[in-house]
Amino acid sequence: MTPIITALRNLLLGLVLVTGLAVPALAQLTAESRAYYQNWLKTANRAEEVIDASRASSAALEALRKELTSYRQRFLEARTENGDRIKTLEGQISALGKAPEEGESEPEDIARLRASLEEQLRDLKVPRIVSEEAYSRANGLISEIDKIIRERRTRKLLERGPSPLNPEHWPGALRTLSRSASSIWNETASRIGSATTAERIQNSLPALLLLLAIAAFLLLRGRPWAHAAGDYLRQFGSSGRGVWGFVVSLLEVILPFIGIICLAAAVELSGILGSRGSLLLDYVPGWALVILSFHWLGNQLFSNRLDNDLVPVQEGRLNETRLMVDILAVILVMQDALVKLENIETIPSSVHAVASFPLITAAALVLLRLHRIGAKRRQKQTADTAEDGAIAAGANRILAFARRASYLLGFVSPLLAAFGYVNAAEALIYPAVSTLALLAALLVFQRFLGDVYGWLSGKGSAAQESLFAVLIGFLLAALALPLLALIWGARVADMTELWSRFLEGFQIGGTRISPTAFLTFAVVFAAGYALTRLIQGSLRNSLLPKTKIDPGGQNAITSGLGYVGIFLSALIAISMAGLDLSSLAIVAGALSVGIGFGLQNIVSNFVSGIILLIERPVSKGDWIEVGGLMGYVRDISVRSTRIETFDRTDVIVPNSDLISGTVTNYTRGNTVGRVIVPVGVAYGTDPRKVEAILAEIAKGHPMVLLNPAPSVVFQGFGADSLDFEIRAILRDVNWVLSVKSDMNYEIAKRFQEEGIEIPFMQRDIWIRNPEALAQTKAAPAAGEPAISLASAPAATPSKPDLDDLQQDPNEDADGESDADK
């Protein structure tokens, strides 16, 4: 950017700012705001000069970026200030109507009000315009700084340096490292022998002794104290042995770590180290924590307690595997010590290559060794995990990928370092080790949280397979993503930049969706939903049962209230989140197109459900018949109705079938219904006697109403019997089958006592044209008498079996067929 363009832009912004400041009503732009903006202009100009020169160090660029980030955050907040007031003014101006065109006039008071409102609106928009421009400028500068730093890191990563296998670099590397170690030792020796150090030790002797005593006790007695604490905690419940074992293992790390901190503090307080030694002493607690943490991970992973190890090994080689993990920790500490030494002293790249190559090779060999140790057991673990389910199999695939990646990096990294790409080798091998350690820590902590849940819930080891354990695993994996990014070279500034962009949200049309808005929507909607369910429960269980509303009406009220409550909750949540409801018109348009093409059946069922809830032609608990199905209505939703048939099966019926089809409701309004019990008696029986008996039976049943009284109808003269019917009104028609069965039992009993016969079906067979049979009669055999049909004695009729009687459908009641007629 040229200096002329920069000067012109600063001049323009200054004029805008000064114009805004000239308005007394603009309270936002105070003298402090003007000073703040002037400082921003100076910082922005300096940042542009630094970026154009591109000669500043990465550390200086990081510091400048941090300063620009603070300005950008302030301008981001200022972009949304006075938003409500601006909307109010715009609404007031819109209420005044369209501004008059040139040559037209409007009433003086309206014109004066319009001018005042427009002036206030301009005053409020000035700081937002300035903040918008400043925010864009700061964002652009930050992006340019990030680009420069990334390009530098990429160049360094791909840079080829001296090969560590070149023997010419070995003597120089040994001399440099020896000189650095001698310098640290000489400084320490000179400080120990000085009178100043002796006086300092004497003056701080009590504090030194106290720190040394604490360090000695924690380092020597930390492990027994941790086990003693575990024995005490196990008194609170034996089911938490896994939990207490984990706590004991953490204490075995924490107590020695505190002891090392006290020891380092004692050394620093004594003043026996020189400048180089003091700088390295600051990193000693961190190195100790790395070694203790890796040792703890090895003990937690490679034990008999865990079934799925990060690196599966044979049971007889657990000690060897734990030793390999400890060696990895020592290698990481030595590599970090080498880097810190390079920051203290200037070390040539050849020395760094020679010193780093043995560490890279050792780390690669350890990874390969770990891979080979678990090769025989890995296939068995994969097969066992596949039987546990898809989630376990997916986790196992992730761990298997991490193992194979570490194996590959262990093979590639020494080759890269041998060819001079030491930076690339270090960027691959050490993040691989750290990634394995992080995944191991996630596995251990997931098991611990599962043990805690199993202890608190009483599920024990079964909690490891519960939904809670799976959700905890996903949560820990999500939390580990930023750590993985930092391990593989991402800058803290990159993570904060992503977080800032995440908080800023994204733009959809004229609406900005941010995490704050989403969280507001979720909280408000959840509160409204919970309140709706609370009111529904109160109405269903407390208020409505005390009214005279039938169960179907009660269900309709609670269901309708639920839909209205959810709709209002969503509407209020959208408004509280600051979302523009006018943008929903696009969604409504797309939804209407979808309805027209493929959602018409769903919408039809939805509208039918609303009609069912409002008109209530069918209510919950009704006995209905629809589409050949008969049963009780158990639930009515907005899409379908659930009917429970008499054989206890649930049938889901679309609501549109209940609205557009024919529905028989046996219990609509009330449960009173009629039962009809037919019965026939033999000819010759006294009809009045039968009528009296049937009336007595009907009136004697407890489910039969006496008002209106039951009636006995003499239906007529049947083919085989005199036909009667009992017609009675029941208190509850749902008992119609039971009442009918009871009456039949009573009828059979009373008819037997009174000698009244219930006839069976009878048929007389008449054979016409018997002479035709005589012509086709076969000749009698020798010795057999001839019997003619005419002289044959009439057979005595016997009682037929009703199941054997089949009447020709073409015969009438007299047994005469249509063909005979």
Side-chain angles (χ1 to χ4, degrees):
M1 184 177 295
T2 61
I4 298 177
I5 296 177
T6 302
L8 289 176
R9 188 183 62 185
N10 293 339
L11 178 61
L12 178 61
L13 291 176
L15 290 176
V16 173
L17 184 63
V18 171
T19 303
L21 290 173
V23 182
L26 190 58
Q28 286 80 7
L29 296 180
T30 60
E32 183 180 357
S33 300
R34 290 197 299 271
Y36 184 86
Y37 187 76
Q38 293 299 329
N39 293 333
W40 151 247
L41 292 178
K42 294 178 182 179
T43 303
N45 294 334
R46 176 166 55 88
E48 290 175 349
E49 294 174 359
V50 171
I51 292 173
D52 293 336
S54 188
R55 290 192 299 268
S57 63
S58 297
L61 289 176
E62 291 284 4
L64 180 60
R65 185 192 185 284
K66 185 177 180 181
E67 189 176 356
L68 292 174
T69 302
S70 63
Y71 279 108
R72 185 183 63 176
Q73 183 63 30
R74 177 66 185 88
F75 294 138
L76 177 62
E77 296 172 356
R79 288 168 60 185
T80 58
E81 291 181 354
N82 301 319
D84 296 337
R85 179 59 180 161
I86 290 175
K87 290 182 180 180
T88 302
L89 291 173
E90 290 176 347
Q92 290 178 282
I93 295 174
S94 176
L96 295 178
K98 186 178 180 181
E101 298 180 356
E102 187 177 357
E104 297 181 356
S105 61
E106 62 179 349
E108 182 179 355
D109 53 348
I110 297 180
R112 191 183 309 111
L113 179 59
R114 185 188 301 276
S116 175
L117 294 175
E118 291 177 349
E119 183 179 2
Q120 295 180 42
L121 184 61
R122 286 194 301 269
D123 295 342
L124 291 176
K125 285 185 175 180
V126 167
R128 301 187 68 174
I129 295 174
V130 174
S131 299
E132 185 72 31
E133 189 278 337
Y135 173 82
S136 300
R137 187 179 182 185
N139 199 36
L141 293 174
I142 291 173
S143 300
E144 292 183 31
I145 291 176
D146 289 338
K147 182 179 179 181
I148 293 174
I149 295 176
R150 281 194 292 267
E151 290 177 351
R152 290 181 178 180
R153 299 184 67 177
T154 304
R155 285 196 301 267
K156 182 179 179 181
L157 185 65
L158 301 178
E159 182 182 5
R160 181 180 180 183
S163 174
L165 300 181
N166 189 353
E168 296 180 356
H169 304 312
W170 296 355
L174 291 176
R175 286 194 300 269
T176 302
L177 295 176
S178 299
R179 186 171 57 251
S180 299
S182 299
S183 300
I184 297 174
W185 174 255
N186 293 333
E187 285 183 355
T188 304
S190 62
R191 293 296 295 270
I192 292 176
S194 65
T196 305
T197 303
E199 183 180 358
R200 182 175 180 178
I201 293 175
Q202 185 176 2
N203 293 334
S204 57
L205 185 60
L208 284 174
L209 294 177
L210 179 62
L211 290 174
L212 292 175
I214 295 174
F217 274 109
L218 292 178
L219 291 175
L220 298 177
R221 300 294 302 171
R223 185 180 180 88
W225 288 352
H227 285 281
D231 294 337
Y232 173 75
L233 292 174
R234 288 186 181 93
Q235 298 176 2
F236 295 96
S238 59
S239 60
R241 286 180 298 177
V243 177
W244 306 135
F246 183 85
V247 173
V248 169
S249 66
L250 285 182
L251 290 177
E252 291 178 351
V253 175
I254 295 173
L255 295 179
F257 177 65
I258 296 175
I260 292 174
I261 292 177
C262 294
L263 183 60
V267 173
E268 184 178 2
L269 183 61
S270 64
I272 61 176
L273 296 179
S275 58
R276 296 181 179 87
S278 298
L279 292 176
L280 292 177
L281 182 64
D282 295 337
Y283 304 107
V284 170
W287 296 336
L289 181 61
V290 171
I291 295 176
L292 292 173
S293 300
F294 270 68
H295 183 74
W296 172 77
L297 280 177
N299 291 333
Q300 289 292 311
L301 282 175
F302 304 109
S303 62
N304 295 326
R305 181 177 180 271
L306 293 181
D307 298 328
N308 297 324
D309 300 331
L310 179 63
V311 183
V313 297
Q314 303 173 22
E315 295 182 0
R317 311 184 71 176
L318 294 177
N319 292 331
E320 180 185 356
T321 308
R322 287 195 288 266
L323 178 61
M324 294 294 106
V325 175
D326 293 338
I327 293 175
L328 282 178
V330 174
I331 293 173
L332 289 178
V333 169
M334 295 179 66
Q335 170 64 22
D336 190 65
L338 179 62
V339 173
K340 297 300 187 294
L341 185 62
E342 291 179 357
N343 295 333
I344 296 174
E345 296 186 0
T346 302
I347 295 179
S349 58
S350 59
V351 176
H352 175 79
V354 172
S356 297
F357 184 73
L359 299 177
I360 294 173
T361 305
L365 291 176
V366 171
L367 290 178
L368 295 178
R369 185 61 178 170
L370 289 174
H371 186 80
R372 291 178 63 86
I373 288 175
K376 294 182 179 180
R377 189 182 171 193
R378 191 172 298 116
Q379 295 181 352
K380 180 179 181 300
Q381 182 198 23
T382 303
D384 294 341
T385 307
E387 297 177 357
D388 294 339
I391 296 177
N396 186 63
R397 283 194 292 269
I398 295 175
L399 298 179
F401 173 77
R403 287 192 298 266
R404 295 190 183 96
S406 63
Y407 176 81
L408 178 63
L409 295 176
F411 179 77
V412 171
S413 298
L415 296 178
L416 291 176
F419 284 100
Y421 295 98
V422 178
N423 295 330
E426 292 177 344
L428 292 178
I429 190 68
Y430 298 123
V433 174
S434 301
T435 301
L436 288 176
L438 179 60
L439 293 178
L442 292 180
L443 180 62
V444 171
F445 277 103
Q446 182 187 13
R447 287 300 181 103
F448 168 67
L449 295 176
D451 289 338
V452 173
Y453 175 71
W455 175 41
L456 297 178
S457 62
K459 296 181 178 180
S461 59
Q464 296 293 344
E465 307 298 331
S466 63
L467 178 61
F468 176 82
V470 176
L471 294 178
I472 285 296
F474 280 114
L475 179 61
L476 291 176
L479 295 177
L481 291 179
L483 296 178
L484 285 174
L486 293 176
I487 288 173
W488 286 97
R491 299 155 44 225
V492 177
D494 294 333
M495 306 306 297
T496 55
E497 182 69 15
L498 289 176
W499 181 251
S500 299
R501 295 292 179 87
F502 176 72
L503 293 179
E504 183 182 354
F506 55 92
Q507 195 82 14
I508 298 181
T511 304
R512 176 168 294 277
I513 307 298
S514 65
T516 304
F518 179 78
L519 183 61
T520 302
F521 171 82
V523 171
V524 175
F525 180 76
Y529 182 82
L531 181 62
T532 301
R533 293 306 184 195
L534 180 62
I535 295 176
Q536 279 185 298
S538 300
L539 289 177
R540 184 184 297 110
N541 300 323
S542 301
L543 181 60
L544 293 179
K546 298 178 180 180
T547 63
K548 297 181 179 180
I549 303 176
D550 59 276
Q554 296 179 15
N555 179 67
I557 292 175
T558 53
S559 300
L561 180 62
Y563 299 137
V564 173
I566 292 175
F567 175 76
L568 293 179
S569 298
L571 193 64
I572 296 173
I574 292 174
S575 301
M576 293 291 291
L579 303 179
D580 188 7
L581 295 178
S582 61
S583 60
L584 296 179
I586 302 176
V587 179
L591 186 61
S592 63
V593 175
I595 292 172
F597 284 99
L599 302 179
Q600 50 185 341
N601 291 332
I602 297 177
V603 174
S604 175
N605 291 326
F606 179 82
V607 174
S608 299
I610 299 299
I611 295 175
L612 287 176
L613 292 175
I614 294 176
E615 295 186 354
R616 295 194 296 114
V618 174
S619 301
K620 183 178 180 181
D622 286 354
W623 172 14
I624 67 171
E625 181 179 1
V626 54
L629 298 172
M630 183 181 295
Y632 292 102
V633 177
R634 295 307 184 194
D635 184 47
I636 301 176
S637 63
V638 293
R639 192 196 67 83
S640 61
T641 297
R642 181 169 62 90
I643 298 176
E644 182 183 357
T645 62
F646 296 126
D647 55 0
R648 294 297 186 266
T649 58
D650 287 343
V651 179
I652 307 300
V653 180
N655 288 332
S656 58
D657 293 351
L658 299 176
I659 296 299
S660 59
T662 301
V663 179
T664 302
N665 194 332
Y666 294 96
T667 57
R668 175 61 183 164
N670 55 67
T671 59
V672 175
R674 188 174 68 170
V675 61
I676 298 177
V677 181
V679 63
V681 297
Y683 279 93
T685 307
D686 184 4
R688 293 298 179 182
K689 182 179 180 181
V690 173
E691 179 184 9
I693 294 174
L694 295 180
E696 183 180 350
I697 292 174
K699 293 178 181 179
H701 199 282
M703 291 298 297
V704 175
L705 294 177
L706 299 180
N707 186 18
S711 61
V712 177
V713 179
F714 187 1
Q715 284 288 90
F717 302 94
D720 304 296
S721 62
L722 303 176
D723 297 332
F724 292 83
E725 282 185 357
I726 298 176
R727 297 189 177 187
I729 304 298
L730 304 182
R731 304 177 188 275
D732 191 347
V733 74
N734 294 297
W735 296 85
V736 61
L737 294 178
S738 298
V739 172
K740 195 170 184 179
S741 177
D742 294 342
M743 288 187 178
N744 284 329
Y745 278 116
E746 188 66 21
I747 289 171
K749 177 183 176 182
R750 292 292 303 276
F751 279 8
Q752 185 178 5
E753 294 175 354
E754 299 294 336
I756 298 176
E757 180 185 359
I758 300 177
F760 50 83
M761 186 181 299
Q762 300 184 45
R763 290 292 181 267
D764 293 334
I765 301 176
W766 294 80
I767 300 177
R768 299 197 177 191
N769 303 324
E771 63 276 6
L773 294 178
Q775 298 176 3
T776 59
K777 180 179 61 176
E784 293 183 359
I787 303 175
S788 64
L789 181 63
S791 61
T796 303
S798 62
K799 184 177 181 180
D801 190 352
L802 295 179
D803 295 335
D804 296 335
L805 291 179
Q806 297 291 337
Q807 182 180 3
D808 191 341
N810 295 322
E811 290 183 348
D812 56 12
D814 296 329
E816 185 178 0
S817 65
D818 295 336
D820 294 337
K821 292 179 181 180

